Amino acid sequence: MYDIAVIGAGIVGLSTAWQLQKRYPQWNIVLIDKEQEVGTHQTGHNSGVIHAGVYYAPGSLKAKFCKQGAEATKTFCHKHHIDFDQCGKLLVATNELEKQRMDALYTRCLENDLEVIKLDEEQLKEREPNVKGIGALFVPSTGIVNYRHVCQKLAELFVKGGGDLRLGSEVVDLSESHEQVTITLDNDVVSASYLVSCSGLMADRLTKMLNIPTDFQIIPFRGEYYQLPSKFNNVVNHLIYPIPDPDLPFLGVHLTRMIDGSVTVGPNAVQGWKREGYGRINISPRDILDMVRFSGFWKLLFKHWRTGLVETKNSWYKPGYLAQVRKYCEQIKLEDLQYYPAGIRAQAVMKDGSLVHDFLFSQSTRTLHVCNAPSPAATSAFPIGAYIVDTLDRQITSL
């Protein structure tokens, strides 16, 4: 019998388990994941950016968590000797419409109390000789890290503090009584007084196991990346981002310096047909059936069908993808786009077809579920964990 069980050993689950352990050092805590390693899914398939919080509505949890999380992540890396690089980010405008959107983003940066510098075309060229644009915003606090290394350190600290880390254990059923939560695994049955679910791509399936009423479903979006040859390792000095369309939740294809010195381009955002479809085969009959039975999926598809067609075309037609990259960096050619593993974004979609842009939580008497942890969840993992611990503390106190 455990005091607390946490499901999901991505960076949010690990941060939560570690902070629960610090809050309740006398309690017996278990962290469960079906994979053999930590940080296997969304955490291990992102671009490794420590985001500053440029895009998010002032006062939202995303804006608050991102700014706090960026500093907490850098502090944690400093303390535990994890390599990171505060290289800064440039948001580049390539036409007048993007320039107008850039000005709105500049205002948002100021509202979110972020350091930001507006650059004209000549100043942009001075900073990035290989990038073209008519203006840019420079956000110096943005950085890069390998989030799997952060996860590995958190797991080490959790186990060292007496936590039980159960990898290779898949949750197949959950039940809740007045006294406890019973977690049926594919290799064991365990129970806990309280349960926290940080299960990402499977978040909706765990709430359904407990019959918790919800109006959302996880819809996977596949982000496809390419890696550039090593000759391009110094092609940019900063992270190069487009000016995003404010009507879409995705940031668009960008050039990212990785912590290992390489450069990737991407991701796009295409409809995923498999929740864990990182390889070239991206089909799961169960996941497809879940989607087509959900009315919100069809409403979302109808609302964004034009964007979906463009993204799908560029996924299958490599020159279309290349055109998005060459908006900023004309030196890159088709043969320079080398294979790199895709990422899957667990996007919560409501029954009315609307995308959930902020964090979404649901709960029962003895359980708390992180239903939507959108980008920048990796950056924000430490304040998200603290928020979960505080929420659970209130929940426990109220019993």
Side-chain angles (χ1 to χ4, degrees):
M1 177 75 174
Y2 293 96
D3 295 295
I4 303 175
V6 179
I7 298 174
I11 194 167
V12 173
L14 282 158
S15 167
T16 300
W18 178 59
Q19 293 187 69
L20 280 167
Q21 189 179 65
K22 293 201 296 181
R23 176 74 62 90
Y24 304 109
Q26 75 281 13
W27 282 16
N28 193 14
I29 302 174
V30 62
L31 175 58
I32 301 166
D33 197 284
K34 67 185 176 68
E35 305 300 343
Q36 297 293 338
E37 297 180 359
V38 299
T40 301
H41 292 292
Q42 291 184 98
T43 306
H45 289 86
N46 62 36
S47 52
V49 177
I50 303 173
H51 289 281
V54 171
Y55 315 99
Y56 315 123
S60 68
L61 285 178
K62 284 178 83 169
K64 177 183 176 182
F65 287 169
C66 189
K67 185 175 180 183
Q68 293 176 352
E71 291 308 310
T73 300
K74 294 169 192 174
T75 299
F76 185 85
C77 290
H78 267 306
K79 182 175 181 179
H80 297 287
H81 310 291
I82 299 170
D83 289 340
F84 76 97
D85 180 8
Q86 189 173 313
C87 55
K89 170 165 67 176
L90 285 168
L91 295 104
V92 179
T94 60
N95 56 47
E96 286 303 322
L97 175 59
E98 290 180 352
K99 183 79 159 40
Q100 293 173 20
R101 290 173 175 170
M102 186 187 86
D103 292 337
L105 274 179
Y106 178 79
T107 301
R108 175 154 289 188
C109 285
L110 298 180
E111 290 173 341
N112 284 328
D113 196 27
L114 297 175
E115 182 183 358
V116 59
I117 302 169
K118 191 179 290 189
L119 307 178
D120 59 26
E121 187 171 354
E122 184 178 335
Q123 291 169 320
L124 170 61
K125 187 59 65 177
E126 288 176 3
R127 284 184 176 271
E128 292 288 358
N130 296 317
V131 172
K132 67 173 185 176
I134 61 173
L137 298 180
F138 175 51
V139 184
S141 60
T142 303
I144 50 176
V145 72
N146 186 328
Y147 281 113
R148 280 203 178 194
H149 293 168
V150 178
C151 285
Q152 288 161 3
K153 178 53 70 172
L154 282 168
E156 177 189 321
L157 294 171
F158 175 70
V159 172
K160 196 173 183 180
D164 186 3
L165 178 59
R166 290 202 177 195
L167 300 177
S169 300
E170 182 174 2
V171 176
V172 296
D173 194 24
L174 296 172
S175 63
E176 180 179 357
S177 68
H178 290 297
E179 295 80 23
Q180 66 183 36
V181 180
T182 301
I183 306 157
T184 304
L185 306 173
D186 58 357
N187 53 16
D188 197 5
V189 178
V190 300
S191 58
S193 297
Y194 304 97
L195 168 69
V196 178
S197 171
C198 304
S199 46
L201 287 156
M202 304 300 169
D204 55 339
R205 290 179 178 168
L206 267 68
T207 59
K208 286 174 184 175
M209 286 181 186
L210 290 167
N211 297 314
I212 296 174
T214 55
D215 291 327
F216 80 97
Q217 184 166 303
I218 296 297
I219 302 295
F221 283 90
R222 179 179 165 92
E224 296 166 334
Y225 295 85
Y226 290 99
Q227 189 170 48
L228 301 182
S230 58
K231 66 181 181 180
F232 286 102
N233 282 5
N234 296 312
V235 70
V236 291
N237 302 312
H238 309 82
L239 307 181
I240 307 300
Y241 274 66
I243 303 297
D245 183 338
D247 294 328
L248 298 175
F250 309 109
L251 299 180
V253 170
H254 43 272
L255 282 76
T256 305
R257 291 178 53 202
M258 307 294 280
I259 198 66
D260 64 3
S262 64
V263 175
T264 63
V265 296
N268 58 2
V270 294
Q271 177 61 60
W273 303 105
K274 183 178 182 181
R275 295 197 185 197
E276 297 173 1
Y278 306 109
R280 297 184 187 278
I281 298 175
N282 183 32
I283 295 175
S284 163
R286 180 189 178 186
D287 294 345
I288 293 172
L289 190 60
D290 277 354
M291 282 193 295
V292 299
R293 286 175 169 174
F294 179 58
S295 60
F297 168 72
W298 297 104
K299 293 171 184 175
L300 175 69
L301 204 64
F302 179 77
K303 184 177 181 181
H304 295 292
W305 67 270
R306 287 185 179 85
T307 302
L309 284 178
V310 172
E311 293 290 323
T312 302
K313 183 205 80 170
N314 290 339
S315 173
W316 289 96
Y317 182 62
K318 207 170 176 181
Y321 196 112
L322 178 66
Q324 296 187 58
V325 181
R326 286 174 59 87
K327 281 177 65 178
Y328 315 99
C329 198
E330 293 180 331
Q331 301 95 316
I332 298 172
K333 297 176 182 170
L334 200 62
E335 60 267 25
D336 296 323
L337 300 183
Q338 301 177 348
Y339 173 76
Y340 194 78
I344 303 291
R345 175 172 178 163
Q347 176 63 56
V349 177
M350 304 305 289
K351 280 186 179 178
D352 63 3
S354 61
L355 297 165
V356 181
H357 295 291
D358 211 344
F359 293 92
L360 178 66
F361 300 89
S362 65
Q363 60 191 92
S364 62
T365 303
R366 290 188 173 271
T367 73
L368 175 63
H369 300 255
V370 183
C371 299
N372 193 59
S375 178
T379 300
S380 308
F382 289 103
I384 294 171
Y387 180 89
I388 292 169
V389 172
D390 288 342
T391 303
L392 185 65
D393 189 58
R394 291 192 295 271
Q395 195 170 341
I396 292 171
T397 304
S398 68
L399 286 178

